[in-house]
Coordinates of all heavy atoms in Angstrom, one line a residue:
E191 N 5.8 12.5 -6.0 CA 4.5 11.9 -5.8 C 4.7 10.6 -5.0 O 5.5 9.7 -5.4 CB 3.8 11.5 -7.1 CG 2.5 10.7 -6.9 CD 1.6 10.6 -8.1 OE1 1.0 11.7 -8.5 OE2 1.5 9.5 -8.8
V192 N 4.0 10.5 -3.9 CA 4.1 9.3 -3.0 C 3.0 8.3 -3.5 O 1.8 8.7 -3.6 CB 3.8 9.6 -1.5 CG1 4.0 8.4 -0.7 CG2 4.8 10.7 -1.1
H193 N 3.4 7.1 -3.8 CA 2.4 6.1 -4.3 C 1.7 5.4 -3.2 O 2.3 4.6 -2.5 CB 3.2 5.1 -5.2 CG 2.4 4.3 -6.1 ND1 1.0 4.2 -6.1 CD2 2.8 3.5 -7.2 CE1 0.6 3.4 -7.1 NE2 1.6 3.0 -7.8
L194 N 0.4 5.8 -3.0 CA -0.4 5.1 -1.9 C -1.4 4.2 -2.6 O -2.4 3.9 -1.9 CB -1.1 6.2 -1.1 CG -0.2 7.4 -0.5 CD1 -1.2 8.4 0.2 CD2 0.8 6.8 0.5
A195 N -1.3 3.9 -3.8 CA -2.4 3.3 -4.6 C -2.0 1.8 -5.0 O -1.0 1.3 -4.8 CB -2.8 4.1 -5.7
H196 N -3.0 1.3 -5.8 CA -2.9 0.1 -6.6 C -2.4 -1.2 -5.9 O -1.8 -2.0 -6.5 CB -1.9 0.4 -7.8 CG -2.5 1.5 -8.7 ND1 -1.7 2.1 -9.6 CD2 -3.7 2.1 -8.7 CE1 -2.4 3.1 -10.2 NE2 -3.6 3.1 -9.6
G197 N -2.7 -1.3 -4.6 CA -2.3 -2.5 -3.9 C -0.9 -2.6 -3.5 O -0.4 -3.7 -3.1
Y198 N -0.1 -1.6 -3.6 CA 1.3 -1.6 -3.2 C 1.4 -1.3 -1.7 O 0.4 -1.1 -1.1 CB 2.2 -0.7 -4.1 CG 2.1 -1.2 -5.6 CD1 1.5 -0.5 -6.6 CD2 2.6 -2.5 -5.9 CE1 1.4 -0.9 -7.9 CE2 2.5 -3.0 -7.2 CZ 1.9 -2.2 -8.2 OH 1.8 -2.7 -9.5
L199 N 2.6 -1.2 -1.2 CA 2.8 -1.3 0.2 C 2.0 -0.3 1.1 O 1.3 -0.8 2.0 CB 4.3 -1.0 0.6 CG 4.6 -1.1 2.1 CD1 4.4 -2.6 2.5 CD2 6.0 -0.7 2.4
L200 N 1.9 1.0 0.7 CA 1.2 1.9 1.6 C -0.3 1.7 1.5 O -1.0 1.8 2.5 CB 1.7 3.3 1.2 CG 3.2 3.6 1.6 CD1 3.7 4.8 0.9 CD2 3.4 3.6 3.1
H201 N -0.8 1.3 0.3 CA -2.2 1.0 0.2 C -2.5 -0.3 1.0 O -3.6 -0.4 1.6 CB -2.5 0.8 -1.3 CG -3.9 0.4 -1.6 ND1 -4.3 0.1 -2.9 CD2 -5.1 0.4 -0.9 CE1 -5.7 -0.2 -2.9 NE2 -6.1 0.0 -1.6
E202 N -1.5 -1.2 1.1 CA -1.7 -2.4 1.8 C -1.9 -2.1 3.3 O -2.7 -2.8 4.0 CB -0.5 -3.4 1.6 CG -0.5 -4.0 0.2 CD 0.9 -4.6 -0.1 OE1 1.7 -4.8 0.7 OE2 1.1 -4.8 -1.4
F203 N -1.3 -1.1 3.8 CA -1.5 -0.7 5.2 C -2.9 0.0 5.3 O -3.6 -0.1 6.3 CB -0.4 0.3 5.7 CG 0.7 -0.5 6.3 CD1 1.7 -1.1 5.4 CD2 0.9 -0.6 7.6 CE1 2.8 -1.8 6.0 CE2 2.0 -1.3 8.2 CZ 2.9 -1.9 7.4
L204 N -3.3 0.8 4.3 CA -4.6 1.5 4.4 C -5.8 0.5 4.4 O -6.8 0.7 5.1 CB -4.8 2.4 3.2 CG -3.9 3.7 3.1 CD1 -4.0 4.4 1.8 CD2 -4.2 4.6 4.3
S205 N -5.7 -0.5 3.6 CA -6.8 -1.4 3.4 C -7.0 -2.5 4.4 O -6.1 -3.3 4.6 CB -6.7 -2.0 2.0 OG -7.8 -2.9 1.8
P206 N -8.2 -2.7 4.9 CA -8.4 -3.8 5.8 C -8.4 -5.2 5.1 O -8.3 -6.2 5.8 CB -9.9 -3.5 6.4 CG -10.5 -2.6 5.5 CD -9.4 -1.8 4.8
V207 N -8.4 -5.2 3.8 CA -8.2 -6.4 3.1 C -6.9 -7.0 3.3 O -6.7 -8.2 3.4 CB -8.5 -6.2 1.5 CG1 -8.1 -7.4 0.7 CG2 -9.9 -5.7 1.3
T208 N -5.8 -6.2 3.5 CA -4.5 -6.7 3.6 C -3.8 -6.3 4.9 O -2.8 -6.9 5.2 CB -3.6 -6.0 2.5 OG1 -4.1 -4.6 2.3 CG2 -3.8 -6.7 1.2
N209 N -4.5 -5.5 5.7 CA -3.9 -5.1 7.0 C -4.6 -5.8 8.1 O -5.8 -5.4 8.4 CB -3.9 -3.6 7.1 CG -3.3 -3.1 8.4 OD1 -3.1 -3.8 9.3 ND2 -2.9 -1.8 8.4
H210 N -4.0 -6.8 8.7 CA -4.7 -7.5 9.9 C -3.9 -7.3 11.2 O -3.8 -8.1 12.0 CB -4.8 -9.0 9.5 CG -5.3 -9.3 8.2 ND1 -6.6 -8.9 7.8 CD2 -4.8 -9.8 7.1 CE1 -6.8 -9.2 6.6 NE2 -5.7 -9.8 6.1

Side-chain angles (χ1 to χ4, degrees):
E191 174 165 289
V192 183
H193 199 345
L194 307 177
H196 301 167
Y198 298 114
L199 184 66
L200 294 163
H201 182 188
E202 288 161 17
F203 272 77
L204 289 171
S205 175
V207 172
T208 38
N209 184 339
H210 311 299

